[in-house]
């Protein structure tokens, strides 16, 4: 019965524009819909830290039972998150970290490992004098900081590989053409983009300037679907991508566990792996299957909803006829 108490879970999503974030939101929606007593509200902060602050404020004031946050940056939200936590509201942090330990649970993959995996992939090609261009994300979020750390850690310990250039995503359109023009002075063999979109953009710029180039591209995220990481690996645009799961369904599962008074771990670290030509097809097939199941669940739920509506209209008519 819809009048029964529903638990309210609120989620503040820092960025809205890309597929990775949409997958995260969708995973939460599907997971929430499996629980009749859960009501999920997603707030989109659209990369605006002030909006994200006010969303957390709203969730605290409106008495949400669990708050989930994917924070834009590590510092500005700390005092508000601590306020929620100190009030006893369970707080789950997803993907990006904050500079505080006052939260109930964190869910996400280890971004130092993500950086290390990309570097090891390059180093494992066993060639000499490999040089790399690193393209970092533009914001100072924890994934950017940690991917950079892990990537440099491995490369600095390998005498065969060096990072010749390190630039930021925001400077890509202007810097990459300049770099491509000076390849005879400082070559590059690999580009590591901090996500698949960055790596894809770098590939497009390179293709349009230097059609014969043999530079190889590596990204992060490994999403399924049109123009996403797995497909870019399959069609040879990317040599590899590091899988970075969104953690949407895990975050929602943790929220539900908390509401059911079950114990949850503070750190919930998701697995990552390299996707290249060897496993791209298997990964695609697995995700296609999951998507099919999700779609079936959603259409079943639609049918149940319709049946419930028909039932309640019929019983209202019946009550009217019987003068109840
Ligand atoms: C999407 C994204 C992903 C990246 C993650 C890091 O908004 O930039 O591409 O892996 O966020 O927080």
């Amino acid at each position: 019965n819809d009048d029964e108490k529903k638990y309210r879970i609120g989620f503040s999503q820092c960025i809205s524009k890309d597929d990775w974030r949409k997958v995260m939101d969708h995973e939460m929606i599907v997971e929430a819909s499996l629980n009749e007593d859960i009501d999920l509200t997603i707030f989109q902060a659209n990369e605006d830290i002030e909006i994200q602050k006010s969303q957390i404020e709203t969730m605290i004031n409106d008495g949400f039972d669990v708050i989930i946050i994917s924070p834009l940056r590590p510092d500005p939200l700390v005092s508000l998150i601590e306020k929620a936590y100190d009030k006893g509201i369970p707080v789950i942090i997803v993907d990006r970290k904050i500079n505080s330990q006052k939260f109930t649970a964190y869910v996400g993959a280890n971004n130092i490992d993500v950086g290390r995996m990309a570097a090891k992939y390059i180093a494992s090609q066993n060639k000499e004098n490999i040089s790399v261009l690193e393209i970092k994300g533009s914001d100072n979020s924890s994934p950017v900081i940690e991917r950079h750390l892990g990537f440099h850690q491995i490369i600095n310990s390998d005498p065969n590989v060096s990072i010749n250039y390190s630039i930021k995503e925001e400077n890509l359109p202007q810097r990459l053409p300049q770099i491509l023009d000076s390849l005879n002075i400082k070559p590059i063999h690999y580009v590591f983009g901090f996500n698949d979109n960055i790596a894809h953009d770098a590939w497009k710029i390179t293709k349009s300037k230097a059609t014969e180039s043999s530079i190889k591209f590596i990204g992060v995220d490994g999403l399924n679907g049109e123009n996403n990481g797995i497909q870019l690996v399959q069609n040879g645009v990317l040599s590899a991508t590091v899988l970075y799961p969104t953690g949407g369904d895990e975050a929602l599962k943790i929220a539900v566990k908390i509401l059911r008074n079950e114990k949850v771990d503070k750190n919930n670290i998701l697995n990552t792996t390299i996707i290249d030509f060897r496993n791209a097809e298997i990964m695609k097939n697995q995700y296609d299957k999951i998507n099919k199941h999700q779609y079936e669940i959603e259409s079943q739920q639609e049918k149940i909803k319709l049946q419930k509506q028909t039932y309640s209209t019929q019983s209202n008519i019946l009550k009217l006829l019987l003068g109840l």
Side-chain angles (χ1 to χ4, degrees), residues 15 18 20-21 95-96 141 143 147 194-195 220-221 244:
I15 301 169
D18 57 80
W20 192 83
R21 299 280 161 188
D95 153 48
R96 300 184 168 196
S141 61
R147 286 172 195 179
F194 275 29
N195 65 35
V220 178
D221 284 345
Y244 187 63

Side-chain angles (χ1 to χ4, degrees), residues 70-108:
S70 186
L72 190 59
R73 291 199 302 276
D75 286 314
L77 305 174
V78 165
S79 62
L80 272 171
I81 291 175
E82 292 187 339
K83 181 174 153 190
Y85 184 79
D86 287 339
K87 279 190 151 205
I89 309 171
V91 178
I92 302 171
I93 307 290
V94 198
D95 153 48
R96 300 184 168 196
K97 293 181 184 163
I98 52 162
N99 287 332
S100 163
Q101 283 301 311
K102 282 195 171 185
F103 56 83
T104 316
Y106 167 80
V107 195

Side-chain angles (χ1 to χ4, degrees), residues 8-12 56 59-60 64-69 84 89-93:
R8 291 166 72 215
I9 300 176
F11 170 45
S12 168
I56 299 172
M59 291 190 280
I60 297 173
F64 276 78
D65 299 293
V66 179
I67 296 178
I68 306 175
I69 304 162
I89 309 171
V91 178
I92 302 171
I93 307 290

Side-chain angles (χ1 to χ4, degrees), residues 5 105 128 236 276:
K5 164 146 177 67
E128 283 177 14
D276 68 359

